[in-house]
Structure formats: C-alpha cells, structure tokens
Amino acid sequence: MARKKTIPEEKIDLQLLNALNSTSLFSLKSSLEDNPLYITNNLKHKLRNYQMDAVHHLDAVLNMKDADQRNQLMFYMATGSGKTDIMAAIILYMFRAWGYQCFLFTTNTTAVVDKTIDNLVNSASAKYLYNNPLVIDGDHVTIKKVDRYPVNLEKDTIYIKLAGIQQLSNDYYAPRENGITKDSLARHKLVLLADEAHHFNVSTRSKKANREGLSWEHLLDEIRQLNHENKQLEFTATIDLHNPDIYHKYQNKIIAQYDLSHFINDGFSKKVYRLQANNSDENKMLNAVLLSQYRKRIAQNMSIPDFKPVILFKSNTIAESRAINETFLTMIDNLSAESLQQFIQNQNRSTQSEALSLAYKYWLNQDFGSTVTELKRDFSKFTTINANDSGSKNILDDESVSRRLNSLESPDNPIRSVFAVAKLSEGWDVLNLFDIVRIGEKNIKPKDTNAEAQLIGRGARYYPFVYHGKKSYTRRFDDRKPEIQLLERLYYHTINDPQYLENLRKSLDAIDLPVNEDTQYKVYTAKVKNSFKKTKAYKHGNIYYNKVIDVPESHYDSIQKYGFDPETTGPIDMVDAVSERRYDTGADKNDTTSTTLEVAARFSNPQDKALIRTAVSFNNFYRFDSLKKYCPTLTSMREFLTSNEWLGNATIRVKVATGSPALTNEQRLTAVKKYLVRVQTAISNNFKRSIGTNEFMPIAVNEVIQDYQKRVGDQFGKSALIGPDSMQGKDWYVYDYAIVDTLEKHFIDHINSIMPELTHQYGQAYLLRIDERTTDFKLHDFGENIFHYEGYMPDFILYLENENFIYQIFLEPKGTPYIERDKWKEKLLERINPDNIKVLGEDEKVKIYGLKFYVEDDGKEDTHGLFQEMRDKNILQ
C-alpha cells in the first residue's frame, strides 16, 4: 500500500493570513473602525481581540483589488473560541458595510443547526447572541428565519436560512413547493456560512466520507457560483493542512487563525490535565466522582452559586457503555461509610496525582456517612444520562438527549454523569464538563485518539461562573491554591497503555492542545515560622490598605478622569498604499518602512469644525442624550468638543508612510472617527468605578500572613523560574521558604544585607511576603487626578517596630519589561507617606510609606534607587 503523502510542517505557508498579520489593516482602503458601534452595540457578548481581528481581516480582504476573486474564505478557530459570535458579528458587518441581506447557514448535523437557530434568530432564547432590539444607524433591523428568500427584500431586514447540509442538498436537487430553487438563490447576492467546514472539503478519511465530502463540497461550490457577488465564509477548528489537496486549496483562503494553545494560554479556557491511572474502571469512576464532588464543595465554600461539575465516561462500544453505566449505578448504590473510608485510605497511600491527593485529604476529614448520602443523591439514576449511538451518527441528532446535553449548566438540569461512545466532538456546547474518564483499554489506534483529542478540546471550554457577584469569561484562579484552581481545570483520566498514550500525545499535538501532566508539577509550601507566630507583630499587629469608595458622578469632570489623556495618546495608524503589499507572495513592492506623523485635525481649529462634526454624526454614542449617561457633568456637546477639560485641546495625529501625498478629506475623516472610538472606549470602560482614598484601614497581620502553596511547572513559561529558597536562620523573613523568582530573590538578598542596620535601628524588623491569594487586600489609586481604577498589592511589606513607631513600607521588585506599563503603580507607591494619608483607628504611632520599584537592569542592582530613597526618608539611617 502506497504511503500517503503529507506536507512537512516547515512547508506550510498560509500566505494570505501571513500578509494580513504582518501589515497594518488600515493600510488598505477600509470603512471599518477599530470597534464599530453597529457591531459592539448589537452583540450581547463583547468581542475578544482575536474575534474582532477576524472581522478586520475579512474587511481587509474584501477591500483588496482582487476581492471579487476571493469569494471563498476560511476562519480557522479553536473549539470553544466563539466562532458563532464571530459569525454574528460578520452578519452585521456584511449587512451594514456591503448591503447583504440574505444569509445561508449550513453544517453537517441538525443539532448544530438547532443550536445556531437559538444563537442567531430566536430572540426568546437565552443563547441569542444579539441585543434586542437590534439597531443600526438609528434604524431597527429585523432578523427573519426563512425557508426561501422573498422576491422583494424589505428594507432593514436580514434573512437567514438555516439547514443541515443533507437537507440543503435535498432541497436544492429536488425542489419542493415553497422551497429553494436555483433561480431563487441566484436572485439576490448571498453569504454562505459553512460551519464545521472540514466536512465540506476534500476528504481522505474513508471512501464513504470522501464521497459525501466531495458531494457537499460540489453543492456549496455550485450555490456560490450562482451569483458573482456570493461569498462563502467557512468556519472550522479542524483542518488537515498536511494533506496536500487540502493545503493547496486553503493556503490562500484562511484569513483568521486562533489555535487551542493560544486559546488556553490566553486564559479563555480551562487548563487541561491528564490524570494517568493503573486503576480498574470501577476505581477510576469512583475517583472521578470524589474529585467532582470535591469541586462542588469548594465552589459551595466560596459561595459560588449553581456550580455543578459534570463527568463524561467515554467507552469504546455501546454494549460496554451500557454495562459500565449499570456498574456505576450499582457501585454508588452499594457504597457505605466503611467501604468509602477504606477506599480513600488505600488510594491515598499510593496516588501520584496532586488533584486526587487534595480530594482524599479533604474527604478524610469529613463525615463518611453524610458523604455517602450526598454521593448517592448526586450520582443516582436520575442524575445520569446514557447517550449512545452506532459510532458514526452523531448522538446530538437524537432530540431526546440533545436537550439535556446542551443544557447541562442549567440549575434545573440535574445531570452529573454522562455515559457515551459517540465522539461528541462537534456541536456539543458543554461548559461545565470537568472530568472525562476513559473506560476500557481497547481501541488504541490513532483514529480513536484523534476523536478523544477533539473531545478534550471541546471539554476545555471555560465555564463562566459567578464569583463575588461577577461573572468572568477567563480564568481568574491561576495564582490561587491548587484546590481552588480545580474550578478551572479539565481532567482527562486516561488508561495506562504505552501505545495508547503515545497515540494520544500525537493526536493532542496535531490539534495544538497543551495538556499538563497531573504528576509532573511541584507544589512548594511556605509556612509561617513558629518564631514569628510568637511575636507581638503576628499576634496583635496590623497592616494597612486604603479604603475604597464609589466614584461620585461629580468626579467625571474632564476627559482625563476617564483614563484618556489627549496629550499622550498615540497616533492613528494610517500608513497607506505607498507601501502596497503583494498578497499573493507577502512581498513588498516598495520596501520603505519609514513613517512620519501628520496632523489630521485639531479640535481647537475652526477650519476643522465641520470635519469633526461629521465624524461625530457617524457615531451614535456621541448623541448628547447617550453621552450624558456616561458624562453627567457635561452641559452640551459644544462643551465636550471645545472645552479644554474635554477635547478642546486635542490634536489628532496620524502615522503615514514618508513621502505620502497630503491627507485627503476622506482620510482625515477616517482618522477622526477612529480617534472618537478611542475616546468612547475610555469613557464607557471607566465610568462608575471604585476609587481609593487616603484613609488606610487595618487588617490583622495573622489574617494576611498564613501558610500558602504555590504550584510550579514549565507548561506556561514564567512559572518555570520560580522556586523555593530556604529562609532558615533569617528570623526577619516570616516564612520558612521564599517561593520567588530570580529578581525577587535578589531583592530579598539585598534586604538581608541591610537587615542588621534595620534591626539595630528598630529592634523588630520583618519582611512580609504578600501571597496573591489575598485578593481583597489591595491598594487603590487616590488623589485629585485618578486615571487607574483597578487595585493592586505590592509583593512585599517591610514591617518595622520600635518603642515609638510602627513603620509599614510597601515594596515591589519589578522586571524591566513591565516598568512603563506599571508606572502608575510606582507613582501610587510614592504618594503613600505620612503627610498624604490618614491611618484610621490609630494615633501618630503608625507610619506608612510606599517606595520606588526595585529594578535590576543588565545585572545592575537598584537602578531606581529604592534603598537610597529609604535613607533619604530616614527609614534607614
């Protein structure tokens, strides 16, 4: 049998995508603002940067000189990255920017069609992605689901037909009454939205799949060619670019790519861990139950409402899945306090899993009788679903189970465990899946692990639960205790078969899915020294942070109060076609890279008044009744545009290629519109925030300084530099180990060198490490002109005490790459001194200071003069 030819990794060159990523999109003729309001104001979800970039890439391609030849484009986006949100934005963009009113959505499964109906046209659904009403340029726009596009299109109406590819094929080749026909499809220009599009391109999976793929591919090609203005936009998380046929077809069609590794490392998904076990299937299932229920208890203890973690038990065959389902229910039914206690004690002696060790430690301290009762309630027949198929037909086509499988996050859905053989790799919108358990040790072929890799990628979707009253769509516990991190991790419980593990590794690599080993990470523990616990400072001492109040509306009396400074904001990038790029090769026709700054408009210039007013008229945010909601002190639009406190002194500068002709009025208008979007973003993001005061409140030292753990590994980069440094014999450091990076260690060493002076001067001197888990203990910027509203806590506090005074000094080592970004933090620290603040509940005995960053540059220590500042302020004499 001939070996299948593949394209080597180094040969894959996505030329169009590379060109889009390597140049400013605004160098092309474009009508699209950074964050166009007709998109952002009409979507329920705020688009992430990579999602908005995808829309910008589409806009750039459609504005190319050869755009009419680029009528088939692909968005290659990771599972769970929000392809449907991008699709919803594109519908608005194609309608508003290019006048398309007819859209055709298709995919290979009816369940995905049903889900997308809820996303795009069912305004009564909780999963509907648009705001209601939908308003563009002041006009109400209607979205209509249709089976056939009308002869005459109504104004301000978007028509969407949604159909599975098989149904679409039947409708197209065997027209029925009131159904679509070739003539009806050709009547209007059309945007085809093809989801899970890898099913519609050249297939190499099997003869049957190849026939289907080619048939569906031909159908879409034929529909696309009915009208020269038709566009086919494809979406997939899976495409085999090593297949020469697919590579050559798509190398100049992929215009957006966001893979799983970026998705996970950017914090938009759970972290994925592989939990390898030699246990029997029954023991693996019980371990998964204990880990899942431990998660639920953690969430309850943190007052996280309705947190319901789900387990998927993945088998090889339907018969095996049904049998293991019965085994599972019998196992739970037969649990007793004695048997559970014995199981946990035995497992705890031998496990190498950090996650299971945490769970065992917890359950060993609970009442086993109550625990068994709880497990029998939460993992009963009533809370279990068996969702099986023949292996090839997607189970989500079975309506009897799809509703429950697609509503697992609902508090009204009791399901905690799912038994399945089906891939569940496409169309399953599950967010609260936290454990996948591989049952059985057969089927170790690559095709099986490929399916499992896709399943793991789908299970990695982030579950946006509510914590402290706020819902987050990104991970927020990466620096917290490992047990808390369990709320943001997916565990894949694998079998321990070498060939299977090797195939799984290759399958995961193929989809660029980083998986952490549950046993490879080190957990470092820092314990508060007993010697420090005996001190007065630990028993009775306080440390201080400033009180926070809501920002009053009267505070917002200038544009700078919204964090926007017209004097320092950067230029608008308008490098134009003087450096025209050849998108077929990625090469430059003109290799010039020099740029210059030009002035597009001055708000103080009477001659620019009409231009600015025109730009304002394009943006509904700047209608005075709308703007007034965010700028309550404003009295008129005239004040906003002319007052020195607002935009009166603003100058809009643009960056252009050196030697470019003078800016046209159209280019100047575009620059002003982009500038106004910047201002709008600052205003809307920073209104009604909290602000710090100069009043500092106490919190007990022993509430903040507690034992903590830090889990260190090499998967996510910077943590690899962190390690424990013994602090034995250094009574001034309150923990037995300093778990720090290289810069922090150098800082501690420097403190060590001056500690004899501090001890002599004060008698008692301690360095307190502030662990990241203490999230409520933060400093907030305060003063007259506050532009930053987020809180932050320096890494260290120097606590000094003598007979007359207690000194608290905030100290922060800072790496050089972060100095400019965090400059406001250093300024905040330097504002903290006894002359500027009040210490609540204390007399003059407490003195609080903040000092400059400790910075090292190319081996030079203390380049900001932190320790000299200590001497200048007589903290160190």
Side-chain angles (χ1 to χ4, degrees):
M1 180 177 176
R3 186 178 179 181
K4 184 177 72 173
K5 292 182 179 180
T6 60
I7 303 236
E9 185 75 34
E10 63 272 13
K11 295 294 185 181
I12 292 179
D13 180 20
L14 304 178
Q15 296 173 355
L16 177 58
L17 179 62
N18 292 339
L20 291 169
N21 286 331
S22 65
T23 187
S24 168
L25 299 183
F26 300 114
S27 65
L28 299 159
K29 181 182 178 183
S30 172
S31 61
L32 191 63
E33 300 165 348
D34 290 348
N35 294 288
L37 290 180
Y38 67 84
I39 293 178
T40 58
N41 285 355
N42 284 306
L43 292 182
K44 282 186 178 177
H45 301 153
K46 180 181 178 182
L47 290 184
R48 299 164 180 165
N49 289 340
Y50 67 84
Q51 293 172 322
M52 198 65 235
D53 286 346
V55 182
H56 276 286
H57 282 200
L58 174 62
D59 178 68
V61 172
L62 295 186
N63 278 288
M64 289 179 182
K65 293 179 180 178
D66 60 349
D68 58 336
Q69 301 173 33
R70 300 185 182 275
N71 59 6
Q72 184 181 9
L73 302 168
M74 173 173 278
F75 298 81
Y76 182 17
M77 314 294 286
T79 295
S81 61
K83 295 192 295 294
T84 315
D85 283 303
I86 297 173
M87 208 178 291
I90 285 174
I91 289 172
L92 298 179
Y93 164 74
M94 295 299 290
F95 171 76
R96 167 67 169 72
W98 299 96
Y100 284 82
Q101 292 184 251
C102 298
F103 296 83
L104 171 58
F105 174 90
T106 191
T107 189
N108 68 308
T109 62
T110 58
V112 177
V113 173
D114 293 340
K115 173 183 73 73
T116 310
I117 289 173
D118 281 345
N119 292 150
L120 299 181
V121 298
N122 183 7
S123 60
S125 170
K127 295 189 176 183
Y128 187 59
L129 296 179
Y130 295 113
N131 288 324
N132 195 11
L134 196 159
V135 180
I136 296 179
D137 298 334
D139 297 319
H140 284 238
V141 175
T142 301
I143 296 180
K144 289 185 177 181
K145 175 178 172 291
V146 295
D147 291 323
R148 177 175 178 165
Y149 305 106
V151 175
N152 298 309
L153 304 180
E154 298 177 17
K155 183 183 177 184
D156 299 325
T157 303
I158 294 171
Y159 301 91
I160 306 180
K161 176 178 174 61
L162 303 99
I165 189 68
Q166 188 61 60
Q167 182 62 51
L168 181 63
S169 178
N170 294 340
D171 290 348
Y172 186 82
Y173 292 117
R176 54 188 172 82
E177 188 176 357
N178 296 323
I180 60 169
T181 63
K182 293 182 182 181
D183 290 341
S184 68
L185 285 175
R187 188 177 295 120
H188 308 294
K189 61 182 181 180
L190 176 70
V191 178
L192 288 88
L193 302 169
D195 198 13
E196 306 294 353
H198 52 281
H199 291 287
F200 309 144
N201 54 52
V202 179
S203 174
T204 58
R205 292 165 295 169
S206 67
K207 290 182 178 180
K208 178 182 178 183
N210 194 50
R211 287 195 301 271
E212 278 186 344
L214 288 172
S215 173
W216 294 341
E217 182 180 30
H218 177 75
L219 169 64
L220 295 181
D221 287 345
E222 192 170 332
I223 294 175
R224 186 178 69 252
Q225 293 163 9
L226 289 175
N227 187 314
H228 74 279
E229 291 189 84
N230 285 355
K231 304 293 182 186
Q232 182 171 324
L233 306 180
E234 302 181 3
F235 300 81
T236 187
T238 308
I239 183 170
D240 184 9
L241 292 174
H242 297 283
N243 178 321
D245 293 329
I246 294 177
Y247 171 67
H248 291 303
K249 175 180 177 181
Y250 281 102
Q251 70 177 125
N252 279 311
K253 291 182 172 66
I254 295 175
I255 64 170
Q257 181 178 12
Y258 190 68
D259 54 38
L260 270 170
S261 63
H262 281 95
F263 187 55
I264 290 176
N265 291 340
D266 289 346
F268 292 122
S269 77
K270 307 182 188 87
K271 284 185 178 179
V272 182
Y273 289 78
R274 185 175 67 85
L275 199 162
Q276 180 178 324
N278 293 311
N279 288 329
S280 66
D281 288 336
E282 191 167 334
N283 285 354
K284 278 196 296 185
M285 289 193 294
L286 186 51
N287 275 327
V289 165
L290 291 169
L291 183 57
S292 181
Q293 200 68 3
Y294 178 42
R295 270 197 199 87
K296 183 177 178 181
R297 287 280 191 94
I298 292 169
Q300 289 173 343
N301 292 338
M302 295 174 66
S303 300
I304 297 172
D306 301 323
F307 191 97
K308 186 194 65 172
V310 171
I311 308 170
L312 171 66
F313 297 102
K314 170 75 169 63
S315 299
N316 301 306
T317 66
I318 294 176
E320 184 179 45
S321 183
R322 289 172 177 163
I324 205 69
N325 191 169
E326 292 301 319
T327 300
F328 175 80
L329 294 175
T330 300
M331 175 189 72
I332 296 295
D333 191 53
N334 290 339
L335 268 184
S336 67
E338 293 76 15
S339 66
L340 182 62
Q341 181 177 10
Q342 184 178 8
F343 174 83
I344 292 176
Q345 288 172 339
N346 290 339
Q347 293 284 307
N348 192 39
R349 294 188 189 102
S350 60
T351 186
Q352 298 297 311
S353 164
E354 183 204 24
L356 289 178
S357 294
L358 292 169
Y360 297 150
K361 181 180 178 181
Y362 173 81
W363 291 118
L364 286 170
N365 288 292
Q366 305 302 308
D367 179 80
F368 282 97
S370 299
T371 299
V372 168
T373 300
E374 181 180 318
L375 295 180
K376 289 187 175 184
R377 181 189 67 238
D378 278 22
F379 293 93
S380 66
K381 186 174 182 179
F382 177 68
T383 65
T384 296
I385 185 171
N386 194 303
N388 283 305
D389 68 3
S390 61
S392 60
K393 180 178 180 290
N394 193 301
I395 69 166
L396 295 183
D397 286 333
D398 183 351
E399 190 175 342
S400 66
V401 298
S402 65
R403 286 193 302 272
R404 283 181 289 172
L405 286 169
N406 276 324
S407 63
L408 286 173
E409 302 93 3
S410 171
D412 298 328
N413 184 328
I415 300 299
R416 289 291 303 278
S417 57
V418 179
F419 289 81
V421 174
K423 296 177 183 179
L424 287 174
S425 58
E426 296 176 5
W428 189 27
D429 281 339
V430 60
L431 302 179
N432 57 334
L433 178 63
F434 287 89
D435 293 277
I436 302 174
V437 183
R438 177 62 150 82
I439 300 295
E441 301 201 9
K442 297 179 181 178
N443 289 1
I444 57 175
K445 298 178 182 178
K447 70 174 184 178
D448 300 298
T449 54
N450 289 343
E452 289 177 30
Q454 292 293 330
L455 176 59
I456 295 169
R458 184 158 292 275
R461 292 183 173 199
Y462 188 75
Y463 179 43
F465 53 85
V466 175
Y467 177 59
H468 283 178
K470 296 181 180 179
K471 180 181 286 190
S472 174
Y473 293 88
T474 58
R475 292 194 308 272
R476 44 188 155 178
F477 296 149
D478 282 358
D479 293 321
R480 301 290 292 275
K481 291 180 178 180
E483 52 265 42
I484 295 177
Q485 292 184 43
L486 289 176
L487 303 181
E488 297 180 329
R489 292 182 187 172
L490 170 73
Y491 278 83
Y492 188 61
H493 305 243
T494 69
I495 60 177
N496 191 18
D497 179 279
Q499 185 59 55
Y500 167 80
L501 295 175
E502 176 62 17
N503 287 337
L504 180 62
R505 182 190 63 78
K506 291 178 180 178
S507 297
L508 294 168
D509 288 345
I511 63 172
D512 198 26
L513 174 56
V515 175
N516 304 276
E517 296 292 339
D518 186 43
T519 57
Q520 286 185 348
Y521 285 76
K522 295 180 180 179
V523 178
Y524 298 121
T525 301
K527 294 185 177 181
V528 182
K529 292 176 179 176
N530 289 329
S531 59
F532 181 64
K533 289 182 178 180
K534 296 175 183 178
T535 65
K536 178 183 175 182
Y538 181 79
K539 291 179 178 179
H540 308 294
N542 293 318
I543 52 180
Y544 297 82
Y545 64 107
N546 59 333
K547 184 179 178 181
V548 174
I549 60 172
D550 291 337
V551 179
E553 291 189 348
S554 59
H555 169 80
Y556 295 100
D557 57 4
S558 73
I559 192 62
Q560 289 192 335
K561 297 293 180 66
Y562 295 86
F564 186 88
D565 187 352
E567 295 295 323
T568 60
T569 188
I572 305 294
D573 191 344
M574 295 283 287
V575 179
D576 61 20
V578 171
S579 298
E580 183 180 2
R581 187 169 296 273
R582 290 178 56 197
Y583 286 94
D584 57 337
T585 65
D588 285 335
K589 289 182 178 179
N590 183 342
D591 196 31
T592 180
T593 57
S594 60
T595 61
T596 188
L597 295 182
E598 300 285 350
V599 173
R602 289 187 173 88
F603 279 74
S604 60
N605 185 357
Q607 295 180 350
D608 293 335
K609 181 178 178 180
L611 178 72
I612 292 169
R613 288 284 184 182
T614 300
V616 168
S617 70
F618 277 94
N619 193 327
N620 291 340
F621 180 81
Y622 291 106
R623 293 177 179 174
F624 184 67
D625 57 346
S626 173
L627 185 62
K628 180 72 173 175
K629 296 175 183 177
Y630 293 91
C631 303
T633 65
L634 270 183
T635 59
S636 66
M637 279 302 299
R638 175 183 172 83
E639 179 188 6
F640 182 74
L641 298 175
T642 63
S643 168
N644 293 343
E645 297 298 321
W646 297 91
L647 298 183
N649 284 331
T651 298
I652 301 174
R653 296 175 177 85
V654 298
K655 182 168 64 176
V656 298
T658 301
S660 298
L663 293 172
T664 65
N665 286 336
E666 182 180 359
Q667 290 171 323
R668 293 172 64 221
L669 178 62
T670 298
V672 179
K673 289 163 65 178
K674 292 180 182 298
Y675 186 89
L676 288 172
V677 169
R678 285 188 186 179
V679 175
Q680 174 195 349
T681 301
I683 290 174
S684 57
N685 286 348
N686 289 310
F687 183 56
K688 287 193 174 180
R689 299 289 295 273
S690 296
I691 191 173
T693 70
N694 69 341
E695 296 181 336
F696 277 65
M697 306 182 297
I699 183 172
V701 169
N702 54 34
E703 287 188 33
V704 177
I705 304 302
Q706 300 179 1
D707 297 350
Y708 72 95
Q709 291 181 323
K710 195 166 189 69
R711 190 173 193 267
V712 178
D714 57 6
Q715 181 66 50
F716 290 92
K718 64 179 181 179
S719 60
L721 301 175
I722 297 173
D725 191 33
S726 175
M727 292 287 110
Q728 296 302 322
K730 300 173 182 177
D731 289 343
W732 51 269
Y733 194 83
V734 303
Y735 289 102
D736 58 355
Y737 284 91
I739 307 172
V740 292
D741 60 24
T742 303
L743 174 64
E744 292 168 333
K745 184 180 185 306
H746 290 174
F747 167 76
I748 291 173
D749 290 344
H750 207 138
I751 292 290
N752 186 39
S753 70
I754 65 169
M755 193 52 68
E757 296 177 68
L758 291 171
T759 304
H760 175 74
Q761 183 175 341
Y762 293 94
Q764 303 297 321
Y766 303 103
L767 186 64
L768 312 182
R769 169 71 170 185
I770 305 302
D771 176 42
E772 297 93 335
R773 294 175 298 118
T774 319
T775 55
D776 291 334
F777 183 50
K778 290 182 178 180
L779 299 177
H780 288 79
D781 208 355
F782 66 95
E784 289 297 321
N785 296 306
I786 303 304
F787 308 142
H788 297 276
Y789 300 96
E790 63 270 32
Y792 114 99
M793 173 49 57
D795 290 332
F796 296 92
I797 291 178
L798 189 60
Y799 186 97
L800 308 171
E801 183 175 5
N802 62 19
E803 295 179 357
N804 300 313
F805 295 103
I806 295 175
Y807 281 73
Q808 173 184 310
I809 301 147
F810 295 108
L811 302 172
E812 173 89 350
K814 185 67 63 178
T816 51
Y818 308 105
I819 293 173
E820 285 304 315
R821 183 197 69 182
D822 291 342
K823 191 69 176 176
W824 72 271
K825 297 178 181 178
E826 188 172 42
K827 291 181 178 179
L828 166 59
L829 292 178
E830 292 188 276
R831 272 200 296 278
I832 299 174
N833 64 69
D835 294 332
N836 288 343
I837 66 172
K838 299 175 184 178
V839 181
L840 299 178
E842 297 288 346
D843 53 25
E844 296 297 316
K845 184 177 180 180
V846 176
K847 306 291 183 183
I848 303 177
Y849 288 90
L851 301 182
K852 297 174 181 177
F853 290 154
Y854 174 81
V855 179
E856 294 181 356
D857 186 11
D858 296 330
K860 298 178 182 178
E861 295 183 351
D862 197 19
T863 59
H864 280 208
L866 162 66
F867 292 96
Q868 183 58 48
E869 187 180 13
M870 291 178 67
R871 297 185 187 277
D872 293 342
K873 293 184 176 180
N874 293 319
I875 297 170
L876 180 61
Q877 295 179 353

